[in-house]
């Protein structure tokens, strides 16, 4: 009897672990790869800052790691589709803009002011994270601009049609 119960008890553990990990489709998408890179770079930068003399900067990589991890989980489990009240692309855009600016600033400070190796490594990983976050907010901006351009183009055509009809009726 113990042999029959043992495989069943292992199966839910595997399913629970797989449900936490991002799906293969999302992980291979452009957004998935960017979020995974942001999580990894923020975590490595956090570890480097924690081991360095520039430990005062450890908060920024930790917060960005947690925010990127949350959005990775939200996008991979389609959590964002269940909560329509949040402006997910705008929230992600603001996160990426603030992260790239702050990572750039603390990377410059850690590379120029501190002399230990882990501060320099944290600065280098911070510069790489700055590039990844900047690429992410550039792509999000292009998607938002295209979406707004489509929505704005349709609403602008309707008033001009109405005005044409009004001007035609006045000329008769």
């Amino acid at each position: 009897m113990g042999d029959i119960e043992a495989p069943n008890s292992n199966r839910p553990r595997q399913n629970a672990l797989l449900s936490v990990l991002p799906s293969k489709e999302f992980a291979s998408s452009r957004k998935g790869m960017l979020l995974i890179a942001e999580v990894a770079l923020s975590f490595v930068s956090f570890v480097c800052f924690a081991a360095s003399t520039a430990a005062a900067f450890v908060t920024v990589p930790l917060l960005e790691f947690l925010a990127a991890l949350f959005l990775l989980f939200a996008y991979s489990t389609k959590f964002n589709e269940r909560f329509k009240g949040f402006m997910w692309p705008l929230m992600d855009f603001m996160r990426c803009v603030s992260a790239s600016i702050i990572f750039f600033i603390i990377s410059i400070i850690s590379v120029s002011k501190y002399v230990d190796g882990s501060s320099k490594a944290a600065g280098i990983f911070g510069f790489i994270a700055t590039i990844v976050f900047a690429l992410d907010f550039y792509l999000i901006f292009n998607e938002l601009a295209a979406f707004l351009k489509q929505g704005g183009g349709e609403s602008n055509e309707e008033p001009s049609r109405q005005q044409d009809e009004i001007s035609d009726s006045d000329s008769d």
Side-chain angles (χ1 to χ4, degrees), residues 55-120:
F57 300 128
V58 78
T59 307
V60 173
L62 177 64
L63 290 177
E64 293 304 330
F65 167 73
L66 293 174
L69 190 65
F70 170 72
L71 283 175
L72 176 67
F73 176 75
Y75 283 136
S76 66
T77 60
K78 309 242 186 265
F79 185 71
N80 59 330
E81 293 176 2
R82 287 185 267 170
F83 290 97
K84 299 282 185 185
F86 292 114
M87 301 294 280
W88 290 94
L90 185 60
M91 186 171 58
D92 196 17
F93 176 76
M94 295 304 294
R95 177 191 63 87
C96 290
V97 168
S98 64
S100 63
I101 292 170
I102 295 172
F103 260 116
F104 186 69
I105 291 169
I106 65 170
S107 296
I108 288 175
I109 293 171
S110 68
V111 168
S112 64
K113 187 176 178 183
Y114 297 96
V115 294
D116 61 322
S118 56
S119 294
K120 303 280 185 197

Side-chain angles (χ1 to χ4, degrees), residues 135-149:
L135 177 65
D136 197 9
F137 84 71
Y138 173 75
L139 294 173
I140 293 169
F141 178 77
N142 283 341
E143 290 173 5
L144 285 174
F147 174 73
L148 293 174
K149 188 181 280 187

Side-chain angles (χ1 to χ4, degrees), residues 16-85:
L17 180 62
L18 290 176
S19 68
V20 174
L21 296 175
S23 66
K24 194 173 199 176
E25 296 169 2
F26 180 73
S28 62
S29 70
R30 181 175 61 190
K31 184 66 179 175
M33 288 188 285
L34 282 171
L35 277 171
I36 290 171
E38 290 169 4
V39 167
L41 287 169
S42 296
F43 182 73
V44 170
S45 181
F46 166 72
V47 169
C48 289
F49 274 123
S52 72
T53 56
F57 300 128
V58 78
T59 307
V60 173
L62 177 64
L63 290 177
E64 293 304 330
F65 167 73
L66 293 174
L69 190 65
F70 170 72
L71 283 175
L72 176 67
F73 176 75
Y75 283 136
S76 66
T77 60
K78 309 242 186 265
F79 185 71
N80 59 330
E81 293 176 2
R82 287 185 267 170
F83 290 97
K84 299 282 185 185

